[in-house]
Structure formats: C-alpha cells, structure tokens
Amino acid sequence: MTEDGPCLGVDIGGTKVALRAEAGARCVAETVFAWQPRHSADRDLAQLAAHVGGLSERLAVPPRAVGVAVPATVGPDERVTAWPSRPEWTGTDLGAALRALLPGTPVAWADDGDLGALAEARAADCADLLYIGVGTGVGGGLVLRGDLCPGLGRGSFEIGHTVVDLGGPRCVCGRRGCLQAIASGPATLRHAARLRGSDVDYDALRQAWLDAAPWAVAALRRTCRALAAAATGVQELLHPRLLLIGGGFASGLPGLDALLTEHLAGLARPGHPPLTARPAALGGLSSLRGAVELARRTHA
Ligand SMILES: [Zn+2]
C-alpha cells in the first residue's frame, strides 16, 4: 500500500469483471476479463486475484485501496446468501476472499446498485440522490448528504424488493408484489406480450415505444407506475432531491424518464413537490466508477 497510490475499483458481474485504477481523477489502468465457463467459487476467486494482482503490478505505484462492487446478496456474516448468476458462490466467505485479494492493501466492498448511486451522485453533483437501475432485475441505491444509505456494512438498498402491489405477481424472492416482479425488464416484456397477444423481445418493445404503439406505451406506463410508487415511498421517508433512472433496459428507452416524472407527479400530495426523474449519466459504468469512489473513501 502507498499513501499516494491510485484507487482501484473492481466491478464483479455475472459473466465478466471490470477493473479500473484512477490516480486523482485520471484513469491509469483499465481492463475487463470474462469468467471461465467451467467454474467453482474457488476457481473464480483465484482468477479474480490473478487479474487484480496483475493489474496492480503493472501500475507505477501500488494501489492504496481497493473498492469492489458486488452483485450478490450477502448476509451479515459476510457470506454470499444468493447470486442467481453464479450459484456456486453461495456460502462463500466474501469478506475474507476480497480482503485477501491484495494482502496489506485496504479493501472495501458494497452492493453494485449502491455504488452505482454513489457514482451517479458524484457525476450529477447531487448530494441527495435516488438511483434506480432497471435491467434483468431492479436495483439501485440512495445517497444522502453525499454518503451511501443505509451505509457500508449495514445492508444494501434493496428498492427492487419493496412491495408496491399487495397480491401482485410473485417475485424471485418468493414474496408477491415486489417492485422487481412488476418493473424489471423481463416483467415488462411479459406484460407487453400479454397486451399485444404475442411474444415481445426488447427490440420490438423499443421500436413500438418509439412509434407510440398503444400496447408498448401501456406496458411501460405500468412499469413507471410501479417505479413511481417505490420512489415516492423513499421520498416520503428520506427526501432525496433527484431520481435518476438507468440500467440496461431503461437506458435504451428515450423519454422513459418523462413518463416516470408524470407518474411521480400523479402521486404528489399538497405541500410536497414530487421528485423529478432524469436519465442516469454513466450507463453500464456506474458501478465500476462507484467502486473506484469507494476505494477513494477507504483508508487503512
Ligand atoms: Zn422480491
């Protein structure tokens, strides 16, 4: 570890891992690797350690800290509870494995949605920001007074599992009516298919949305209504000033932020101005940038 060394961010994904080192605000190294197809958690972690070690050795000055964005659900004992993309990791002592990546260098880790929010808040220069990413699931994070809420080691901000429809569709978590069960990319496509009467893939939905086809608009209205309900609940409790909407599914649908803003306005109550939704700025890079920011905030 070196006091003035760069900060290393690692974004662990289901199929690939991205690494980025920044010295000040300047990127000094960046790389991506794909997981080996036949894997176990131990082999994955060995592959991860080799890439982190390799990148670290290529730097002129060793990293002073590492921040890691993690997609898995992790319990209070730091063990992986669930990770649908790589179920072999279930039970892995993630905290110990990550701390062993670069012995002697401080390592911190957090949920990838939370770190996405941290990076988006920095990019938007907004200290009180709600970020929602809509993709295969619904994730996101909340930044209050410039810091993650609820905060490192205190659990992640699971907006996708807030209940917005009592008796609604079953979520992957087993509960009914979670935001994710209604507003995720796949859930929206399923609803669009019901409205159209035939299967709908993402490209078809996107084109029909651009053409203002009634079935596509209706499907996305339902999604935005659910997103607005969850965001309004957060606003009532914690008062973020801005909502950014990102993620692979939402970012390909121009104007979705305006539809969401319309639904937020529909849920406003007197004396409480509604949140405004805007598109997130960093796209798929938000959690990697957030991991670097986490490293920047991590000290020995
Ligand atoms: Zn759920």
Side-chain angles (χ1 to χ4, degrees), residues 79-96:
R79 289 185 181 273
V80 174
T81 311
W83 187 10
S85 301
R86 298 184 92 70
E88 297 80 2
W89 283 50
T90 305
T92 297
D93 187 341
L94 189 72

Side-chain angles (χ1 to χ4, degrees), residues 132-139 180 183-189 202 245-251:
I132 303 180
V134 180
T136 311
V138 176
Q180 177 166 297
S184 71
T188 304
L189 290 176
Y202 183 67
I245 181 86
F249 183 85
S251 58

